[in-house]
Amino acid sequence: MIHSLFLINASGDIFLEKHWKSVVSRSVCDYFFEAQERATEPENVPPVIPTPHHYLISVLRHRIYFVAVIQSEVPPLFVIEFLHRVVDTFQDYFGVCTEAAIKDNVVVVYELLEEMLDNGFPLATESNILKELIKPPTILRTMVNTITGSTNVGEQLPTGQLSVVPWRRTGVKYTNNEAYFDVVEEIDAIIDKSGSTITAEIQGVIDACVKLTGMPDLTLSFMNPRLLDDVSFHPCVRFKRWEAERILSFIPPDGNFRLLSYHVSSQNLVAIPVYIKHNITFREGSSQGRFDLTLGPKQTMGKAVESVLVSSQLPRGVLNANLNPSQGTYTFDPVTKMLSWDVGKINPQKLPSLKGTMSLQAGASKPDENPTINIQLKIQQMAISGLKVNRLDMYGEKYKPFKGIKYMTKAGKFQVRT
Amino acid sequence: MLESNKDSLKLEAMKRVVGLIAKGKNASELFPAVVKNVASKNIELKKLVYVYLVRYAEEQQDLALLSISTFQRALKDPNQFIRGSALRVLSSIRVPIIVPIMMLAIKEAAADLSPYVRKTSAHAIQKLYSMDPDQKEQLIEVIEKLLKDKSTLVAGSVVMAFEEVCPDRIDLIHKNYRKLCNLLVDVEEWGQVVIISMLTRYARTQFTSPWKEGAMFDENNEKAFYDSDSEEKKDQTEAQPYIMDPDHRLLLRNTKPLLQSRNTAVVMSVAQLYWHLAPKHEVNIVTKSLVRLLRSHREVQYIVLQNIATMSIQRKGMFEPFMKSFYVRSTDATHIKTLKLEILTNLANEANISTILREFQTYVKSQDKAFAAATIQAIGRCATNISEVTDTCLNGLVLLLSNRDETVVAESVVVIKKLLQTQPTQHSEIIKHMAKLFDNITVSMARASILWLMGEYCERVPKIAPDVLRKMAKTFTAEEDIVKLQTVNLAAKLYLTNSKQTKLLTHYDIRDRTRFIRQLIVPNEKSGALNKYARRILLAPKPAPVLESAFKDRDRYQLGTLSHSLNTKATGYLELSDWPAVAPDQSVRNVEVIEPVRNPDTLLIIVLLHACLILTHKSGSESEEESSEESDKTSSDSGKSSSGSEKSSSESEPEQKKKKKMTKAPQKKSKPTANLCLLRFIPVFPMSLQVTTPSFGPVKTYELLHHMTGKGLSAKYHFSRQPCLYQPSMVAVQVILTNSSDHSLEEIHIGDRSPASLNIHCFNTIERLEPEASVTVSMGIDFSDSTQAANFQLCTKEDQFSVSIQPAVGELLMPSTMTEQDFSKEQGKLLGMNETSATITMATANTSSQAISKQVLCAANVGVVSSSANNFHRFAGRTVSSRALVLVSLELKESSTALLTINTEKSVMASMLLRDLKQALAQA
């Protein structure tokens, strides 16, 4: 399966290598660099690259390429999914997954990789189990370790790997027992020039943070489970119960995990929370372009639209933009031609706008496409699909846990064509 | 620091060493110092030493051996964790000398009480196998044992080991199949992927196809057909309503919940399982989940989109409701965009084309010019596929000609050229328009395309073409090669169509280096003969180019595999076999039942049975009528006691007929004795055996007509290896016709054949074949003992497709039964010129007598001659048309070499057969 792994940073240096079978020379990465050169943008590097003796499957996360070397047939998604899982683990351990963080913790990284794969086949990828095997570094522990000479490697085989609930360890103890659930929904939409919706769908996740003593058995029910069209579960959820009663029944892993991700059925009309009035024009022959953008709330059920960020890739001919925002700040990067406007909160009484002119390269012809506008936003205390949790019950333990549910709506891939 | 006696210092040192390894720097000179610490009590230190050992042991084998004893001790440790990790490291040290130690350790660990240790041993199997493939046999034993393990922890790893070491030993799976299906949901996600892909292959070999459902058979027709032949009425493909094997259903049912997995690889593998195994109407349930994966990371999207692209070619309906999910966003990476475009094009039909075209219009304006160009090509494909919109598309493309971007214009010109070619109707307006634009276009490919169009349709634009040529002649020297070439072409074409106007111009070209064209043109001023010829060359109707998807051929690879993604065969790719025509015995999956015997004895029994039948036959046969009547009786008698023998009697009948011709003076014996003799043999073999089909091993199916070329009609054929019903000199061929289009096909029949003398017994015309239905028909072809292909036309009501069947030489034979003495006697007559022999090297897997018979019978339709000597294998057959004897003998020499001899009058066939057999025996 996975033969070796190379980590390559944005400037093309291999800063970490790990081999699970015999050593593969790092010159194999030359094929990767070749492909990278051919691709204009970092995202355009093909995920699967064949070389004479090996196949390279790569993943780009946090500006680091994770390149796995494969020698024979294997489902490519298997490798891709695993690499993403590696990144997630690093992020979980070090807070961030950057070159510096990996370099600082190279020994932990090595120990992790050693545990995650045996002979190229995934062994332990569940973060709860890994944390038992290898303790995540904290400032306190590093200090204690240096003083006492103790280690950050677990002494015992984690019980989870052997029990029927492989995702949860035994003997968990908390003084404050709490279970928090975040229902986060994202709207993916394409809005056309005239403001009508071309496509819109809602994807959601329920992220949980469960800190409960012992082996609690939780059930979570919804007011309107029929909204959920297509779901994927954390392995802890009992599928049969969901099929029969539309109730989520599970023994939760300890700590943070994603309980459920779902898709809201496409029959339901999607409420679009904001509208944009735009007027971006370039005139033939002149070196000036007009830029005029106004945002307004729409269908938000009285909730405020926050952390609005508008960004747009302006045409290559644009040299500079001289704009005037009614609120927030804007930046324009003349190299990448990326315009971004940090709006903040939308005030329905005084709609935010961004107006001004763009200067074009002299003599350049009028760009034939208007830029697409990408929008990010957040609405607290609301799930745009209307999904509501009915109740959360706990069985199997005697104490009363503290429960909390939070709703949030975000814009996912929200684009407006102009 | 490593020499220090303080653990903390050592640890610090080891951490630095690991840092060096991670950076790819060489730290091998520290080996002796590091190895000393392998026995350390500090677990973290120990782990780091392990990391180091695994990395460098290969380079420092002698020193690495020092550490072995530590591991051996650790293998006996009461803590399962220590046992497991000791085995992990021991097996990761790639030092060949310790193979026996590893083998021993693996065997012990496989019987360990802890499932964790057993899992580790499953991993170790692969490591050992990659280091020393000679241990295969022993390792298979361990795998067999571990496959029986009921722990979910072990299941995934052991199947992985199975796939790596012995993917062809499907027999090991039988008894564990149901257990694996039931455990699947609880296995960890990585194991699920491996198990699902293994089970997909398994199911394809063990169950019959669920896709034949709804196949229509004309019952009456079929019956009338077979009535003429009394005995061989049983046709295995006779329509029976398809009933899914309960085990097949079990697999589908148990994998379905996994579509809800959070692991994209699991979802994809379930999707491919449904695609390859489920009845057509059930495949749709995977759609939603696949579309959900599109929300995931860029790399995941890429792979999933590739697979959807392949699926959407064959099954538009599956993804049509989700069309909007494939709309392109400006933030997508280019390769994602092009894949989405591909899928949208595949999904286009009369109903949604207007929506798709509107969407495409936005894409054409994209800043990403490569993508815009791809969109134009996609529009071109839509236009050819859906005739209603061709004109709209053309007009849209013409509008694009005024676009400012060169690549866009160039691409549109090229696509317009292709479109006009497929639809050579009155499009002179467009050509005129293009001629006007000609001056503004600078991309050479586009210029060349316009010139080509001018030349091709110069009759339609008689005035403009010469003008353009005049312009071109002026700038000729400055143009690129491809444009020059087309200019000259245009000149020549114009000259031929209206020579008056062009006469003035030709001298421009002659002045340039256009020798070839000049030679064509200049003489034709004198002679009319060449003129015609030139006209033929230059103005021959060009076949319209076919605009089709790049994903058209990808369905030959299993979905979700690396090979599919790359569209080339990756190393280690295991071909997904076709459905077997007949389901193998399903009782093999019953756990309680002792597996049926599969050993050389069975072969012996068949041979005995054959011999016995011949004996019966001989005894009663005086004339042909009597003999057939006789064998009818024998078989019906024996049929009561054993179904197996009934088949064999029916199959060996033609052989008996042959036999009778040979034996001029048949001996008279009484019937009852013969029957008794037959019956006496019957109890010898177990009732569950089904071994009488003469073809062993998988029946090879060949493609006759691909559904893309056949406009939805696809045909596959295989040699049934049964005596042909229609004429004894014909070879029986079974053809499976499938309608994969969306409308029903009518009047499928066989049309013209070539050579005209070819003697084919056609199947009766199939009146109607519904979409997704398939039908199996039998044909007889007289190849006259040559491997020359039989070409004929497969016709439907509307279309005709030329197809050809090329037989392998082994299929032109039929088995002949004889004793060892007869064999030697016949062989003695066929010496000298009639003998061909060669020394061959066989694959080690083929040296057992069972394997040899299997390989030979697989390659050629011959019969086994029982042999007294162990190292001698004999096979006998006759050519189908001329009944010439073909005797194959194989003498085993030492170390997998063997002497292969073929005795026959047909020396050409002999050499071909020799080559085929050599090949068959050389491959494992």
Side-chain angles (χ1 to χ4, degrees), chain A residues 26 43 73 81 114 188, chain B residues 23 88 264 295 298 563:
Chain A
R26 55 164 69 191
E43 286 86 30
E73 174 65 52
E81 177 77 23
E114 187 72 34
D188 287 356
Chain B
K23 285 199 198 93
R88 258 181 80 185
T264 56
R295 281 279 300 167
R298 173 185 69 99
S563 309

Side-chain angles (χ1 to χ4, degrees), chain B residues 202-266:
Chain B
Y202 177 83
R204 275 298 269 262
T205 57
Q206 300 299 313
F207 305 125
T208 49
S209 168
W211 300 336
K212 284 179 190 158
E213 231 167 346
M216 301 288 274
F217 274 87
D218 197 344
E219 283 277 86
N220 296 330
N221 194 359
E222 200 95 326
K223 260 187 191 148
F225 206 70
Y226 285 113
D227 273 345
S228 52
D229 275 277
S230 54
E231 178 62 14
E232 281 123 325
K233 222 194 291 182
K234 307 174 259 89
D235 190 340
Q236 287 186 333
T237 57
E238 184 91 30
Q240 277 170 355
Y242 170 77
I243 301 158
M244 189 182 270
D245 191 305
D247 288 328
H248 190 170
R249 176 51 64 199
L250 176 79
L251 176 61
L252 292 178
R253 200 177 50 230
N254 279 330
T255 46
K256 194 180 160 201
L258 297 180
L259 281 174
Q260 249 72 49
S261 170
R262 62 170 172 169
N263 188 319
T264 56
V266 175

